[in-house]
Amino acid sequence: MTAFKYNRPKGTQDFVPPQSERKFAVEMLFRELAGLYGYREIVTPTFEHTELFIRSSGIASDIVTKEMYTFNDRADRSLTLKPEGTPGVIRALLENGLRLPYRLFYIAPFFRYNRPQKGRYREFYQLGLEALGEASPLTDAEVVYLGVEFFSRLKITDCVVRVNSIGCRSCRPALREKLVSYLHTHQGGLCPDCNGRIELNPLRVFDCKNPECRKTLAEAPLPSNHLCPDCQHHFEVFLDWLTVLGVKFEVDASLVRGLDYYNRTTFEIISSALGAQISLGGGGRYDYLIEELGGPATPAVGMAIGLERTMFSMPEDQAAESRRKLVFVVWTSEKEFRPAWELVNRLRAAGIPAQLSYDRPKIRHQFHLADISGAIVAVIAGETELLRGVYGIKNLKTGEQHEVPVNEIVTYLKSLIGG
Ligand code: HAM
C-alpha cells in the first residue's frame, strides 16, 4: 500500500516555530498599539451570509466577482469565508446595538481565491481596525499614523504612504459622467474586465494593473480633480494633519482601492521589501456603508494590515536569541528522576519555563533532547551533585559548565533567562 502524502492546500501556509512566535509578537504589538489609541477587540465569525459581502465589498469588486470562497451549507444557505473584515464588523455593530462612536480592532484569517505568490495567499491574516462614528479628517490621519507607527516599531523603514480622495455622493455623478464618456471613447485600450466596469463601477478601472489600461487611463478624468468643496476641505485637512504628525506621504490620484465602499480618503502603505511594490496595509473612509447595511447614517474610517507581508518586510533580527527561554532538567539515574521532576515543578511555579524527559533515555540522549528543544540551559540533577547540595549547570549556548547551590537555583535561572 502506498502512503498518501498530505500537502496543505494551495495558497495556505503553516506557521511553525519560531515563525509562529514571531507572528504572535507582531499580533501583540498591534493589540498593544490599537489599545493605546482606544480600540477594543472584536471577534466575528469566520463565515458570513454571502449577501453581506455582495452588499458591502461590492458587486463589481474583484473580491466579490472572482475571489470569494462561497458555498452552500446543508440547509442550502449561501455562506462565504470572509474575504475582508469590515463588513462583518459593521454587521456585528448593528446586530449587537453597540453605541457609537466605537473603535474596534481585529486579528483574524481571511480568504481570497487568488493566484498565490510571495505575499499573496488564499488564507492570510489581517490586523484591522475601524473607527466607527467619527467624521473628522483628523481621524483619517490618525489611522494612517497608527499604521506608520506600527511599521516603524517593527523597524520596517522603507514604507511609503500613498493617499487620495475619491469624493462623495455629491461630487461623484459629475466625475462619473465624464469618466464614462472618456472610457467609452477609449474602449479599445481597455481590458475586457475594465470594459465590463464602465457601466457597473467606472472608478474601479483605476485599480486595474494591466499596463495597456494604465496607459489608456493616463489622460482620464481623476476623482481628486472633481472634488466638491466639502471633500476638497476634508482632503486638505487630512493632508495637513498628516504633515503635523510627521507622516511622509505621496498623493496618488489613481488610488481608488479594490473595494466599493470607500468615499473621500483612501490610502495604502507600500513597501518595496518584497522586490515588487506591495501594499502592507490599506484603508480609507466609508461613510455610507453602515447606512447601506441597514443602520443609521454613520461616518467611519478604517485600515487593515497584512500580517504575512509585514513579517516578510521585517528585518531579520540579528540579535535574535538562537535559544529560547527554557530550562531543560537532566536526571542521571532513576533515583534522581523524582528530585528532577520536583525541580521542574518549582521552576514552573516561579514562572520559569522548564521541561524534562519522561522517557528515561540515557544522559547523552537527554542532552541531545535539551539541545534540540532549543533550551538555553541544562540543569543536571546528578547523584553526586545532589549529595553535595548543588545542581550541575550547562549553558547550552556557550557550552560552559559550573555548579549552583540547590537553594540558589531559582534566583540564578531567573537572572539567566531574564524572567
Ligand atoms: P485590502 O487592501 O483588501 O483592504 O487588504 C488589506 C491588506 O491585507 C493588504 O494591504 C495586504 O497587506 C493584505 N492582503 C490582502 N489580500 C492579501 C492576500 N491575498 N495575501 C496576503 N495579504 C493580503 C481591506 O481588506 C479592507 N477591509 C481594509 C479596511 C478596513 N478598510 C477600511 N477598514
Side-chain angles (χ1 to χ4, degrees):
M1 203 173 82
T2 51
F4 183 77
K5 198 163 158 259
Y6 293 99
N7 296 317
R8 52 180 188 266
K10 194 171 168 186
T12 64
Q13 39 173 359
D14 302 312
F15 288 88
V16 297
Q19 282 304 86
S20 51
E21 288 150 1
R22 273 181 108 208
K23 172 176 173 288
F24 182 74
V26 172
E27 291 170 354
M28 286 309 285
L29 173 67
F30 184 77
R31 271 206 165 79
E32 188 194 323
L33 209 54
L36 284 177
Y37 284 76
Y39 291 84
R40 300 174 73 183
E41 183 160 13
I42 182 164
V43 180
T44 64
T46 300
F47 51 85
E48 298 271 2
H49 293 291
T50 303
E51 189 59 25
L52 176 71
F53 301 112
I54 296 177
R55 291 278 304 274
S56 44
S57 314
I59 190 82
S61 67
D62 279 358
I63 290 182
V64 167
T65 52
K66 301 181 189 159
E67 297 180 354
M68 295 208 302
Y69 278 90
T70 297
F71 58 97
N72 280 12
D73 72 4
R74 287 167 196 273
D76 222 22
R77 298 180 195 93
S78 180
L79 300 172
T80 294
L81 299 184
K82 54 185 175 186
E84 56 136 342
T86 313
V89 170
I90 306 306
R91 198 247 336 114
L93 167 89
L94 298 175
E95 194 164 347
N96 294 281
L98 302 185
R99 278 185 56 199
L100 293 163
Y102 218 119
R103 292 185 157 201
L104 292 164
F105 80 87
Y106 47 89
I107 299 174
F110 293 91
F111 307 86
R112 295 183 192 175
Y113 189 83
N114 46 27
R115 203 157 50 81
Q117 59 195 70
K118 196 166 184 193
R120 173 164 305 161
Y121 305 98
R122 291 181 175 173
E123 182 184 23
F124 59 97
Y125 287 80
Q126 276 187 355
L127 314 161
L129 47 85
E130 316 290 349
L132 308 168
E134 296 189 35
S136 169
L138 305 195
T139 304
D140 306 15
E142 193 196 72
V143 168
V144 174
Y145 180 73
L146 195 161
V148 169
E149 188 178 352
F150 173 74
F151 293 121
S152 110
R153 287 210 193 183
L154 291 170
K155 305 206 165 37
I156 301 174
T157 50
D158 63 344
C159 294
V160 178
V161 180
R162 294 210 181 124
V163 299
N164 194 21
S165 175
I166 57 169
C168 69
R169 278 177 182 158
S170 46
C171 35
R172 282 229 189 117
L175 166 71
R176 190 191 153 97
E177 203 178 307
K178 279 196 199 163
L179 185 58
V180 169
S181 102
Y182 177 91
L183 296 175
H184 274 311
T185 52
H186 294 79
Q187 254 170 314
L190 295 172
C191 70
D193 277 355
C194 281
N195 267 297
R197 286 165 181 146
I198 297 178
E199 291 301 333
L200 209 52
N201 187 346
L203 263 192
R204 183 79 316 112
V205 296
F206 290 111
D207 203 36
C208 186
K209 305 284 179 283
N210 183 317
E212 191 61 27
C213 293
R214 288 213 167 262
K215 239 193 311 177
T216 307
L217 293 171
E219 306 281 304
L222 292 165
S224 55
N225 293 335
H226 293 78
L227 298 180
C228 64
D230 283 351
C231 285
Q232 186 65 36
H233 177 70
H234 189 101
F235 194 39
E236 280 164 15
V237 176
F238 167 60
L239 299 184
D240 280 350
W241 202 249
L242 284 181
T243 309
V244 170
L245 292 170
V247 173
K248 291 203 187 71
F249 62 86
E250 293 168 2
V251 175
D252 176 350
S254 65
L255 181 69
V256 294
R257 307 218 355 97
L259 297 153
D260 279 2
Y261 47 66
Y262 293 114
N263 70 299
R264 292 194 169 162
T265 311
T266 53
F267 66 88
E268 277 183 5
I269 305 178
I270 314 278
S271 159
S272 53
L274 278 177
Q277 294 239 317
I278 58 142
S279 89
L280 292 176
R285 180 159 280 286
Y286 50 95
D287 294 332
Y288 309 127
L289 181 59
I290 298 174
E291 194 181 356
E292 275 161 18
L293 292 180
T298 308
V301 56
M303 163 180 73
I305 291 170
L307 179 110
E308 293 83 356
R309 295 185 186 183
T310 301
M311 288 177 66
F312 272 131
S313 310
M314 282 159 60
E316 280 303 322
D317 191 356
Q318 299 303 328
E321 276 292 341
S322 55
R323 300 225 153 242
R324 59 192 176 116
K325 291 180 177 180
L326 175 74
V327 174
F328 203 99
V329 177
V330 170
W331 42 281
T332 51
S333 74
E334 202 71 20
K335 238 173 47 212
E336 285 78 44
F337 172 75
R338 179 105 197 175
W341 176 78
E342 281 165 1
L343 173 62
V344 165
N345 283 342
R346 241 177 93 204
L347 296 180
R348 288 174 181 165
I352 301 172
Q355 200 181 321
L356 86 171
S357 166
Y358 289 117
D359 289 334
R360 301 157 205 241
K362 296 190 171 76
I363 300 178
R364 192 163 51 86
H365 290 155
Q366 288 189 49
F367 273 111
H368 178 63
L369 290 175
D371 194 36
I372 59 173
S373 75
I376 192 164
V377 68
V379 174
I380 304 135
E383 188 176 6
T384 52
E385 285 93 341
L386 288 181
L387 281 174
R388 286 190 289 113
V390 296
Y391 291 113
I393 301 288
K394 182 172 182 189
N395 186 318
L396 296 171
K397 213 161 92 178
T398 60
E400 175 226 350
Q401 297 198 30
H402 61 108
E403 292 178 344
V404 169
V406 167
N407 57 5
E408 287 171 23
I409 191 73
V410 172
T411 321
Y412 169 79
L413 291 173
K414 273 202 163 164
S415 70
L416 185 78
I417 68 167

